[in-house]
Amino acid sequence: MNHRDRLRDLLVERSLKRGDFVLASGARSTYYIDARRTLFSSEGQFLVGQVALEAIRDAGWKPTWAGGLTMGADPVACALAHRSWIDGTPVEAFSVRKEAKAHGAGSRVEGGLPSGVPVVVLEDTLTTGGSALRAIEALKAHGVEILGVLAVVDRESGGTEALADAGYPLVRLYTANELLARSDELGG
């Protein structure tokens, strides 16, 4: 089994839940994907670093930094940074706070991200695109070049369109429908 297939199966096994859920957007859903349950695991870290780095390269993006809104983007950013170092093409990680700190330097962007560098914005699960767009707003104020957004899972609930309307390309590793179909294949 290749890395992409194994990450998909791990997301199905650890992160996909069926039932009645209210999402962060306020919408109701018959399933919930808590990708962090996979992405914070040791195997998930290994796999998402590999698969995300390959997807970024396939898109033709050449970021020097990657990150997004804490906390969903954090495990992806760290795994990607680790994998890129091993491959000899370092991509540094950063994190965007939901609000600026009330103490210290009052930073909203953490990790030492300089201005003027090319970045990829990361999302664990893309729904409406709101989290990615909030991160992009903070990053634009920080003065970086945004190459695009990489989402581990796209729920196909308007996020792709919202990002396109704002002028940002999206690379998605999986759709929610792919995970649901795989769950059905596995008897879930």
Side-chain angles (χ1 to χ4, degrees):
M1 182 178 295
N2 67 37
H3 292 133
R4 187 180 188 292
D5 289 347
R6 178 60 191 140
L7 180 57
R8 178 203 59 209
D9 288 355
L10 197 61
L11 284 161
V12 168
E13 174 188 319
R14 294 181 65 113
S15 298
L16 178 64
K17 305 292 178 217
R18 295 186 192 239
D20 183 29
F21 302 96
V22 177
L23 305 176
S25 65
R28 294 196 84 80
S29 177
T30 59
Y31 66 93
Y32 181 68
I33 301 167
D34 184 357
R36 292 166 300 199
R37 293 179 56 89
T38 296
L39 302 175
F40 276 114
S41 73
S42 55
E43 184 180 10
Q45 280 280 289
F46 167 77
L47 293 167
V48 78
Q50 184 70 40
V51 175
L53 186 59
E54 289 172 4
I56 286 170
R57 287 178 179 157
D58 289 347
W61 296 340
K62 295 186 186 309
T64 55
W65 291 75
L69 201 62
T70 198
M71 124 170 306
D74 295 345
V76 183
C78 292
L80 178 62
H82 181 248
R83 181 72 237 175
S84 69
W85 177 262
I86 290 169
D87 283 3
T89 57
V91 176
E92 305 295 333
F94 67 86
S95 185
V96 178
R97 293 176 178 273
K98 291 180 178 150
E99 297 176 9
K101 290 190 327 188
H103 60 282
S107 298
R108 186 150 179 228
V109 179
E110 298 292 348
L113 178 67
S115 62
V117 297
V119 306
V120 170
V121 176
L122 304 171
E123 272 280 9
D124 62 342
T125 305
L126 180 71
T127 303
T128 64
S131 293
L133 291 169
R134 282 193 297 280
I136 287 168
E137 178 184 312
L139 292 166
K140 283 173 53 179
H142 196 75
V144 299
E145 175 193 358
I146 299 163
L147 301 175
V149 177
L150 180 137
V152 175
V153 180
D154 180 1
R155 286 184 60 95
E156 301 174 291
S157 299
T160 301
E161 296 79 10
L163 291 171
D165 288 348
Y168 299 103
L170 171 69
V171 168
R172 57 191 186 184
L173 302 182
Y174 310 94
T175 65
N177 284 327
E178 284 179 76
L179 300 184
L180 290 164
R182 181 62 174 160
S183 175
D184 290 343
E185 287 175 15
L186 297 172

